[in-house]
Structures are given as C-alpha cells and as structure tokens.
Amino acid sequence: MKYVFVTGGVVSSLGKGITAASLGRLLKARGYRVSLQKMDPYYNIDPGMLSPLMRGEAFITDDGAPADHDLGHYERFLDTQLRGGASVSTGKIHLAIMDMERRGAYRGGTIQMVPHVTDEIKRRIVGAARDADSDIAIVEIGGTVGDMEGAPFLEAIRQMRWDYPEGDCCFVHVTLLPTVGAEREIKTKPTQHSVKTLRSIGIQPDFVVCRTDVAISDEARGKISLFCNVPAGHVIAVPDAPVLYEAPLLMEAEGFAQKTLAHLRLPAGEPRLDAWRAMVDRAKSAARTLRVGLVGKYVEIHDAYVSAAEALRHAGYARGAAIDIRWISAGDIERDPDGPGSALQGLDAILAPSGHGRSGAEGIIQTAIWAHERGVPYLAIGYGMHMTVVAAARTLLGRPLANSTQANPDTPDPVVRVPKDRQERLGEGSRGSDRARLGGQDLLLSGNGKLTACYGGAREVRERHDNRYEVNPAYVPPLAEKGVRFPAMEKHEGYIEAIERPDHPFYVGVIYHPEFLSRPDRPHPLFDAFIAAALSGADG
C-alpha cells in the first residue's frame, strides 16, 4: 500500500479536494487502483447535521454515510463509489475512543492525543485503504496547516512517514501564489511561510502544488524550490481553468503523476486520457448556452448544491451546451408580491433541488405551478419533489392548504409527512443518521412515461437517498385520477419515489438524488433527458 497525503496552507478553499481527485484520476488512468479519503477536523460526527450554509451539501455515499462534499468530487473524477469510511471527522474519532474507554479497552490507562487519538486516525486511514482494495490511497487533510484542530491529523500522518518503508508515503502541500500590483507580480512568501509551518511539525512536503491565476516564472519556481526544500520539478503549477475537469490535464502537463509515482517507487506508464480530453474539449467548445434556473433554499452558498450544479454541466457537455446556472432564492420568490414570473421569466429550464425546513417552501410550490402552466422543462429533487406533489394537490384537488408537515405541521392535508411506522420507530423529533432513508436503494419503475424512458426502459434501478419525509399514499389515487403519474416505488417498503405530469414536455420530480451518480463523461440519464428537453424547447 502506498499513501499520498494532501495538506493545504495560506488560505482555505484552495482546491485540495480537486487536487486530490485530479491526481487520483491521473493515477487511475495509468492502471492503479486508487482510493480517496477526507479527514475533517470539526467535532461534528458528520455533515448530516450541519447547515448547508456552513459546510455546503452533505454528499451521501451508497452505504448511507453523510459525507463532506469533496467526496462528490472524488467520485466524479474517479468514476467510483466510495464507502462511508472515506469520510472521517474529529467527532467520529473521539466518539470511537470514548466508546472504547467505556468498554474498558484501555484498561484504566490515561487517554492522550498521542498515541490514542493518532493511532485511531491511522487505523481509519489504513482500514479505508484496505477496504477499498487500493494500490494507492490519497488522503486529504481538511483545513489549513497551523489550525489548532487539525494538529492530531497532521501528527498522525507525520508518524506514518516513519511507520512505513521509505517511498511508501508522499506529502503534497497545496498553497496559494497571490499576485500584487498592476504588473501582477507573484509573491512566494505566503507559500514559504506555509511550508515552514508544516516543517515545524515534522512534515517535509515532497511536492508543492501552487494555485495561481497567472503563469509561474522560472524565478518564482526556483525561489519556492530553494526556500521550501523541494526540487524545482516538484513545484507544480495549477492555474485557474474555465472547466473544472481540465485540472487533471494541467497537472499531467506538469508531470505531477509521473513524478509522484517515481517518488513512490512505482512504474509510471502512459495514461489513458483520450476520453477525458475529449470530454474537456466538448465542454470548452460548447456551441450554445442554456439558462437553467436553480431555485433553492441555500443559493447564497453554491457548494450547497454542488453535485446538482455539476450534474447539469455534465449533461450540457454531452449535449454540446454550456449551462448558465441562474441561482434563484426560493425565499425571494415567496416574498415577491408580483409572483415568481419576474425571477423565472426567460429561463430555458428549472431545477428545484433538495432542502429542509419551512422557509422557501411556498417559493418552490409557486415555481412548480409556474413551470407547469408555461411548459418550461422542470426537474425536482428531494425537498423540491415534495413541494411539487404539494403543488399538484393544491391545483388539481382543490386543496389550497395542502402541504408537507415539514413546512406546516398543522396542515389539514398532509400530502407529505413522516410515515407513521417511522415515527413510532424513531420519534418525530429524531435527527441525524436516524432521521432518513440514507444511501443506495433499489427502485421499481412502472409505465412507459418520461422517467422510464430516461432509464432506457429499465424496470429496476438503484439510486441514493436522504429523505425522512415521504409522499402520503392516501393522496396518490385522487392525483392519479387527475392524470398525475407516480412511476417509481421503493422495492421493499413501497415508498413513492417519483412524480411526473404527462401533459407537459418534461415535468419530473424524484425523491432520490440522481446528481450523486452523475459523471462528467457520463451524465445521469435523468439530467441528460432534462437538458435534452430544454434544448428542444429552446429550439422550438
């Protein structure tokens, strides 16, 4: 087993996750089995309880673990499915240690950061790599060097350098190269100080990956090499790119993967990147642009919907279209006295993604009604699907107070609610990992409508879930009598999974999260059909 540890410095949100995912893509292109893992220093057990406005979306793995959204990048770049063990937080580490202490595993000994916390971190790293049956494990350490909460993780990986033979561990440090003045002179001092901090805790980086928006001069590269104690060829420049998925190609041009494999004492070989290059070329040469409105609750933070946004772009790549995402607040729509038209007019398609709580619910309901009345291609996911069913009940069944109990617990028409068996099992106030159906589940498709057509006529598919509230089956027959279709059900417990309106070019809502399975070179079929309908409507 070989290990590559990715750390960051200077500022947060530099793209450590993209760096790790891109390197993984390049190593996989050379035939290696690669696993990725994210270490988050926060004390929460997982992001499932965190506000999307704080940490972005909670990505859901197939085995039902809420995880940092970087795992979505890992899966998209490597076209793989990760397990819950790929997401580790300080909270998980400390919970495991406390559980062992309560069981007497430490035999009355004093628990300390070293060796107990660091040993648990190392155990998680080695265990996840072994479970993934990988040749090379890439481990990203969240936060930046010097953060107090990240110290145990950095100490653990420092130890791993000496736990394994020389050449088994590689350290990659990602930093920012800012520019100043009208001449945009590159400043290397922040990188020097970041590496100095890293070295002060005993970690010498083998590579320094520099994020910049200008070309790095030989002089700057030499200065970083000299003061950071790395070969000049190990200073990897990664400039900003118009297409996210160009990052692996930029790193390949720098010889990053080949040099990493040399450090790990593994043969490099030639990478298979032709299909990836073709995908990037299609993305950069899109002949037309589609305006897609993303009507959500957390649009102030785009990372709250990063998987949905990327899934839209993937479908655009396949169809030769650039996707211009218009980020529209559902709360603004419900507060607009003139209705949703001012925000939605001129869009080629509308996506209503996931969410939680009361705020913005009426805005999404208004959006669903508006899109149906005007024939605008419409796709709803999770919470968006719930409000779409509510919109149908209000307009077709004459139930103006119909709602989800999540938005109005006292609604006389609970079209969406927590199933009674789940309430009895968990309690209405339960939260966290108990609150929902999580992870991959099998669905049965019926009929010959748009949803079934999206899947090529398949009668059984597997999709990922994160939903506690479900469509109330009591409202299904009366809605079906009005022409509404419910073309998918969960295989074992029969929960309603989808809604579609046949009197519309494309009007589909799904309770699951197809965006988690979309890939840049293979868009999810539901998003592909959605963008195809938008293009058809724009042509018409």
Side-chain angles (χ1 to χ4, degrees):
M1 183 69 65
K2 304 285 185 175
Y3 297 94
V4 177
F5 299 106
V6 180
T7 59
V10 184
V11 295
S12 59
S13 302
L14 270 181
K16 296 189 304 296
I18 299 300
T19 299
S22 297
L23 178 59
R25 175 80 248 179
L26 297 176
L27 297 175
K28 183 176 180 179
R30 287 171 164 84
Y32 289 98
R33 294 169 299 176
V34 180
S35 65
L36 288 115
Q37 188 177 36
K38 176 69 182 291
M39 298 282 174
D40 281 302
Y42 52 71
Y43 272 79
N44 305 73
I45 302 301
D46 59 52
M49 291 285 287
L50 287 169
S51 166
L53 295 174
M54 294 292 294
R55 296 287 305 180
E57 76 176 10
F59 186 82
I60 306 297
T61 60
D62 186 77
D63 59 357
D68 186 85
H69 66 265
D70 272 331
L71 264 71
H73 289 311
Y74 300 164
E75 288 204 358
R76 286 187 285 272
F77 274 71
L78 266 72
D79 191 11
T80 188
Q81 293 200 37
L82 299 173
R83 299 178 182 178
S87 179
V88 178
S89 68
T90 297
K92 283 185 178 179
I93 297 295
H94 284 217
L95 181 63
I97 290 173
M98 292 301 99
D99 285 344
M100 288 189 288
E101 193 271 341
R102 291 290 85 190
R103 296 196 306 268
Y106 297 108
R107 300 181 181 275
T110 301
I111 302 172
Q112 298 174 293
M113 188 180 83
V114 180
H116 302 103
V117 175
T118 52
D119 281 354
E120 179 63 18
I121 292 171
K122 291 191 290 183
R123 187 186 70 80
R124 299 280 181 130
I125 292 173
V126 175
R130 185 186 299 116
D131 290 345
D133 192 27
S134 57
D135 301 314
I136 303 171
I138 302 176
V139 182
E140 177 192 350
I141 309 299
T144 57
V145 171
D147 294 344
M148 184 181 299
E149 60 268 27
F153 294 98
L154 295 171
E155 170 59 21
I157 64 174
R158 183 199 69 79
Q159 293 176 18
M160 288 188 69
R161 167 85 85 176
W162 309 109
D163 289 344
Y164 291 88
E166 185 176 355
D168 280 6
C169 293
C170 177
F171 289 83
V172 176
H173 192 55
V174 183
T175 72
L176 174 69
L177 286 186
T179 58
V180 298
E183 297 177 355
R184 307 199 68 189
E185 179 187 1
I186 287 178
K187 291 297 182 181
T188 66
K189 195 65 71 176
T191 294
Q192 295 177 41
H193 282 298
S194 181
V195 172
K196 181 180 179 180
T197 301
L198 190 64
R199 295 176 67 189
S200 72
I201 58 178
I203 298 175
Q204 167 63 51
D206 301 300
F207 293 88
V208 177
V209 174
C210 301
R211 290 298 315 280
T212 176
D213 56 0
V214 298
I216 298 181
S217 65
D218 290 341
E219 178 185 1
R221 196 184 296 261
K223 187 179 292 186
I224 294 170
S225 169
L226 177 64
F227 289 101
C228 296
N229 200 35
V230 297
H234 286 202
V235 178
I236 308 298
V238 184
D240 295 340
V243 175
L244 177 67
Y245 303 101
E246 192 176 4
L249 303 181
L250 296 174
M251 294 181 188
E252 178 66 16
E254 291 276 298
F256 188 24
Q258 187 173 4
K259 294 169 184 176
T260 300
L261 289 169
H263 178 86
L264 296 173
R265 302 180 181 181
L266 293 172
E270 290 298 318
R272 290 180 159 183
L273 290 170
D274 291 345
W276 193 269
R277 292 183 191 278
M279 176 270 295
V280 171
D281 289 342
R282 288 195 304 272
K284 295 173 70 174
S285 60
R288 57 185 307 180
T289 300
L290 281 179
R291 295 159 298 181
V292 179
L294 191 153
V295 181
K297 292 166 58 70
Y298 317 113
V299 294
E300 299 92 336
I301 303 296
H302 293 184
D303 276 352
Y305 299 113
V306 61
S307 291
E310 290 305 312
L312 289 172
R313 296 184 180 107
H314 301 165
Y317 300 161
R319 297 282 174 174
I323 306 300
D324 177 14
I325 299 177
R326 306 292 176 88
W327 300 86
I328 302 170
S329 168
D332 287 348
I333 288 179
E334 69 181 17
R335 289 186 293 268
D336 191 335
D338 298 325
S342 58
L344 304 178
Q345 197 67 43
L347 297 175
D348 297 309
I350 298 171
L351 173 68
S354 57
H356 301 282
R358 298 187 182 191
S359 65
E362 291 298 323
I364 296 174
I365 292 169
Q366 292 177 38
T367 298
I369 295 171
W370 190 92
H372 181 262
E373 291 175 344
R374 287 156 181 78
V376 177
Y378 176 79
L379 174 61
I381 296 171
Y383 185 86
M385 180 267 200
H386 290 160
M387 298 309 154
T388 301
V389 178
V390 171
R394 290 186 182 183
T395 57
L396 296 177
L397 302 182
R399 307 288 181 89
L401 298 180
N403 216 323
S404 165
T405 57
Q406 183 175 186
N408 179 12
D410 300 319
T411 174
D413 284 299
V415 177
V416 177
R417 81 308 185 241
V418 179
K420 289 184 178 180
D421 63 334
R422 198 178 303 162
Q423 289 185 36
E424 294 169 356
R425 200 163 60 239
L426 304 174
E428 180 65 32
S430 63
R431 299 190 66 189
S433 59
D434 289 336
R435 75 173 191 264
R437 289 195 288 136
L438 287 169
Q441 298 190 6
D442 297 325
L443 318 181
L444 299 178
L445 305 182
S446 60
N448 298 304
K450 293 182 177 63
L451 185 67
T452 303
C454 290
Y455 290 100
R459 292 303 176 185
E460 184 171 334
V461 297
R462 184 174 178 84
E463 294 284 354
R464 293 191 197 173
H465 294 69
D466 177 14
N467 53 287
R468 182 172 181 236
Y469 292 80
E470 309 284 351
V471 175
N472 188 338
Y475 291 84
V476 171
L479 284 171
E481 289 179 4
K482 297 293 185 179
V484 177
R485 293 175 180 168
F486 296 90
M489 299 179 68
E490 195 274 331
K491 183 176 181 179
H492 301 289
E493 298 187 72
Y495 294 121
I496 300 298
E497 294 281 341
I499 179 177
E500 63 182 23
R501 301 284 295 269
D503 56 344
H504 190 281
F506 190 96
Y507 193 91
V508 176
V510 295
I511 204 169
Y512 52 85
H513 292 270
E515 68 270 29
F516 292 156
L517 297 182
S518 186
R519 303 292 183 255
D521 51 354
R522 194 181 68 258
H524 189 282
L526 190 51
F527 277 87
D528 184 52
F530 174 55
I531 293 302
L535 286 167
S536 178
D539 290 339

